Amino acid sequence: MSTTTELPAVVRQLRWEAAGVVSVELSDPDGKDLPPWQPGAHIELVLPTGIARQYSLCGSPDDRSAYRIGVLRERASRGGSEYVHSYLRPGQPVRIRPPRDNFGFSRARSYLFIAGGIGITPILPMVRQAQAWGAPWQLVYGGRHASSMAFLEELRDYEDRVFVYPENEVGLIPLDDWLGTPRDGTEVYACGPEPLLSAVEARTAHWRPGTLHLERFKARPKPAAEDTAVEVVCAQSDVAVTVPPGRSILSALEDAGVAVAASCREGICGTCETRVLEGVPDHRDDILSEEDRAAGDRMYVCVSRASTPRLVLDV
């Protein structure tokens, strides 16, 4: 059975990066190295209020002394970003859950990065890594106003490869220009608001399968599904539960005393990833690629169900 590990941390520094965006550096209270991570990873910040939110790491993986995250102030948020902006201060203790990587950044012949707003945060370390590898790359970065677009100063070193589109000055990113013609050997990594990601998906439909890599901050709206009851057998725990329609597998397992690490409960963070030993999952997450879904060997039990009457899970 799995649980969610939490580590102590302290706020080392806060810095304004743009209008409404603050970066937060977090370090170990005793000065120890933090767990390693790769470009595209995120951590979960557990605030003193008990609120836990996922934030992409935007510092350097080579610097294990601190993690850096960027937080957009969202007035309509559920309290996480508002607390960070209003109350978090240097020296304040917090807790973090270690890095998790759903993006899967890997070596390619060349890269096209697309970022919208705060979606620049997971892209920044990828840009630096691609540069270190000596791979050709370009970054397309859009936002409502230049003043609200974080980390522009850090990107000035790559001016010939970075294309900035403040919407109030030049309009939306011209995705047809960037994605109209597939590029052989180019991998596309994109992060930002849902309208941007949906548009990127639509315009890369004719690209080679597996070329596009996305990370969403919020779950996509999905049509209502007519669920049927499913029997879930927990191989490690020797527990079997019947999950009725309208209930998540995760909540049923929790009520049965089966510990499964979980966080977002929306199918976007990856914390509740669970191995499937038997049965066919009905994937409803916003993480897995089509190839991963077809493999059927893992699922996110907070939102996904089953296409078969019975599932055997490795929990």
Side-chain angles (χ1 to χ4, degrees):
M1 294 184 286
S2 58
T3 56
T4 304
T5 301
E6 291 188 3
L7 304 174
V10 64
V11 178
R12 188 166 79 173
Q13 177 178 297
L14 292 99
R15 172 178 163 174
W16 286 106
E17 302 293 351
V21 180
V22 65
S23 65
V24 182
E25 286 189 7
L26 304 161
S27 59
D28 180 271
D30 299 320
K32 300 175 184 176
D33 280 353
L34 294 168
W37 59 282
Q38 298 297 321
H42 66 266
I43 60 168
E44 193 163 8
L45 175 63
V46 184
L47 297 167
T49 58
I51 291 174
R53 296 289 182 267
Q54 295 86 32
Y55 295 104
S56 297
L57 291 167
C58 58
S60 169
D62 295 329
D63 181 8
R64 300 268 303 278
S65 70
Y67 290 151
R68 185 178 71 161
I69 58 175
V71 182
L72 170 67
R73 188 172 204 163
E74 297 184 88
R75 299 291 183 179
S77 76
R78 294 171 294 169
S81 71
E82 188 62 31
Y83 185 95
V84 169
H85 279 256
S86 297
Y87 303 109
L88 209 60
R89 296 294 181 266
Q92 189 169 353
V94 293
R95 299 190 71 79
I96 57 176
R97 293 171 183 159
R100 180 175 293 273
D101 186 2
N102 298 326
F103 236 138
F105 185 61
S106 58
R107 297 197 75 145
R109 191 185 308 170
S110 62
Y111 301 93
L112 176 60
F113 301 111
I114 302 175
I118 198 62
I120 190 63
T121 49
I123 299 296
L124 265 183
M126 296 183 186
V127 163
R128 297 192 198 99
Q129 184 63 75
Q131 181 75 9
W133 282 337
W137 62 270
Q138 292 174 307
L139 167 62
V140 180
Y141 181 16
R144 292 181 179 175
H145 307 270
S147 62
S148 67
M149 298 173 68
F151 306 111
L152 285 178
E153 191 62 35
E154 292 185 25
L155 292 167
R156 293 193 190 282
D157 291 341
Y158 314 117
E159 283 186 354
D160 60 330
R161 300 189 183 194
V162 177
F163 301 82
V164 178
Y165 295 91
E167 185 179 346
N168 68 317
E169 297 178 23
V170 299
L172 298 173
I173 297 171
L175 292 176
D176 288 332
D177 294 346
W178 288 99
L179 300 171
T181 302
R183 307 186 194 181
D184 186 36
T186 297
E187 300 284 311
V188 180
Y189 287 82
C191 187
E194 183 56 37
L196 172 64
L197 298 187
S198 294
V200 169
E201 282 186 305
R203 287 166 174 80
T204 53
H206 60 302
W207 285 52
R208 176 179 54 82
T211 295
L212 177 62
H213 312 269
L214 301 176
E215 182 166 72
R216 287 181 160 88
F217 292 137
K218 297 179 181 178
R220 287 178 291 183
K222 298 177 179 66
E226 294 187 10
D227 295 334
T228 57
V230 57
E231 181 189 15
V232 177
V233 178
C234 305
Q236 291 186 37
S237 308
D238 195 25
V239 170
V241 298
T242 298
V243 184
R247 190 167 190 209
S248 71
I249 292 176
L250 174 62
S251 65
L253 294 180
E254 289 174 332
D255 282 354
V258 180
V260 179
S263 180
C264 73
R265 298 176 186 264
E266 296 179 350
I268 57 173
C269 76
T271 304
C272 68
E273 180 178 307
T274 304
R275 286 184 61 215
V276 178
L277 303 180
E278 292 181 28
V280 180
D282 175 10
H283 297 291
R284 302 181 185 180
D285 63 273
D286 288 303
I287 300 173
L288 294 176
S289 67
E290 290 305 316
E291 293 82 359
D292 292 332
R293 291 168 184 260
D297 58 352
R298 54 189 168 125
M299 66 184 294
Y300 298 99
V301 292
C302 66
V303 293
S304 298
R305 290 184 67 84
S307 298
T308 49
R310 183 174 183 266
L311 282 177
V312 180
L313 303 179
D314 189 21
V315 292

